[in-house]
Amino acid sequence: MEKNPEGIIFNIQKFSLNDGPGIRTVVFFKGCPLRCAWCANPESQSPRPEQVGDKTEGKLMTVSEVMDVVLQDLPFYEESGGGVTLSGGEAMMQPDFAEALLAALQERGLHTAMETTGFAASEVFRRLCGRLDLLLFDVKHWDEARHRQGTGVSNQLILENLAWAVKSGPEVLPRLPVIPGFNASLEDAAGFARLLQKAGLSKVQLLPFHQLGEGKYAKLDREYALAHKKALRPEDLEDFRQRFLDRGLEAFF
């Protein structure tokens, strides 16, 4: 492993309360192998820096440079039981940089988490899981054909990695973005519940669809397929959530 490798980062967000326990800093990696139509961070998809309006998204940073930023909030992590979460994009697309950063965080005794699509070579996935305390695992669809239709890739590798992580990896929290017209039916809820139970999971976080990323598509000169879809609220998904509860799964927002 390189002593101080470089990676392409497009944002470092401080004081996050939704990406793992306690107060956290989230490091956003550029590049994603999926092309989800509803993506709230379309600027994360390309692995290269790019111009979004008058702003350049993505810059080369060393592990030391990232650590200098995240350690500014060390007292908050210590007081709240927080830490650092790698997100994106997909951090596993930059595996050597991600591993070196996670190693540096572990050396400082910080809690490490990663939000992932799960779409990564099994060797890379398992290697990086060895550096994590928590895996926030996005599950997009239970059906292989629909998953491919909505994201551009099969879910076979993703489900293989999920099954391995549950049995052999860090703590796993599955997170389900609920997207109208794609995976928000009651049949879908039942399909997800079966999938999660088969994997040995007992809880799931539901992420209602929102439109916070819509304006970014115009800046990227790209069409947004869900422009006219209404955002969902937790109260819109009570019947959806009930399908999980009926099977004994804890489902929360």
Side-chain angles (χ1 to χ4, degrees):
M1 191 163 56
E2 274 185 76
K3 189 173 182 182
N4 197 21
E6 295 177 320
I8 299 180
I9 302 300
F10 72 92
N11 190 23
I12 299 179
Q13 177 184 307
K14 294 186 170 190
F15 221 81
S16 172
L17 302 174
N18 302 307
D19 297 287
I23 296 169
R24 310 190 71 79
T25 294
V26 184
V27 182
F28 289 88
F29 283 56
K30 200 97 158 61
C32 184
L34 274 61
R35 291 295 179 268
C36 303
W38 60 89
C39 181
N41 290 325
E43 75 278 21
S44 75
Q45 293 178 355
S46 169
R48 295 174 295 278
E50 61 188 323
Q51 200 68 22
V52 182
D54 58 359
K55 183 181 178 185
T56 300
E57 293 286 359
K59 67 175 181 177
L60 210 56
M61 297 185 73
T62 64
V63 168
S64 296
E65 288 171 333
V66 176
M67 289 295 291
D68 286 345
V69 177
V70 303
L71 289 176
Q72 291 168 5
D73 285 359
L74 186 60
F76 296 112
Y77 312 146
E78 293 175 340
E79 187 173 337
S80 68
V84 177
T85 300
L86 309 192
S87 187
E90 173 56 69
M92 292 195 187
M93 281 189 70
Q94 300 184 56
D96 294 340
F97 181 70
E99 184 178 21
L101 178 56
L102 290 168
L105 293 166
Q106 287 181 320
E107 285 172 10
R108 294 303 301 259
L110 293 176
H111 183 279
T112 58
M114 181 186 290
E115 181 183 13
T116 183
T117 66
F119 191 80
S122 58
E123 181 275 328
V124 167
F125 183 84
R126 296 177 186 190
R127 174 159 58 99
L128 292 177
C129 279
R131 296 283 186 181
L132 293 170
D133 297 305
L134 172 65
L135 195 63
L136 302 169
F137 200 115
D138 286 356
V139 182
K140 315 289 191 185
H141 211 290
W142 58 275
D143 179 77
E144 198 275 340
R146 289 287 285 145
H147 192 283
R148 188 185 293 276
Q149 193 175 42
T151 70
V153 304
S154 166
N155 66 356
Q156 184 175 345
L157 176 61
I158 291 168
L159 297 182
E160 289 171 3
N161 283 334
L162 177 62
W164 179 88
V166 172
K167 290 176 182 167
S168 310
E171 178 188 355
V172 178
L173 174 62
R175 304 211 297 185
L176 200 171
V178 186
I179 311 301
F182 175 64
N183 64 5
S185 72
L186 298 184
E187 178 190 358
D188 288 325
F192 279 118
R194 289 193 300 270
L195 182 156
L196 295 175
Q197 283 193 315
K198 183 179 178 182
L201 290 156
S202 60
K203 62 182 177 180
V204 60
Q205 183 177 11
L206 305 179
L207 306 175
F209 169 71
H210 61 74
Q211 290 284 17
L212 298 179
E214 182 177 6
K216 298 176 182 179
Y217 285 81
K219 292 179 180 178
L220 285 164
D221 196 26
R222 285 168 52 183
E223 185 178 347
Y224 179 47
L226 281 80
H228 303 296
K229 293 286 186 183
K230 184 181 176 183
L232 296 175
R233 299 163 299 175
E235 51 264 38
D236 298 323
L237 295 173
E238 277 309 314
D239 290 342
F240 188 91
R241 176 174 175 261
Q242 189 63 45
R243 291 295 189 274
F244 295 90
L245 302 179
D246 290 344
R247 294 186 67 98
L249 285 157
E250 178 188 352
F252 62 97
F253 297 102

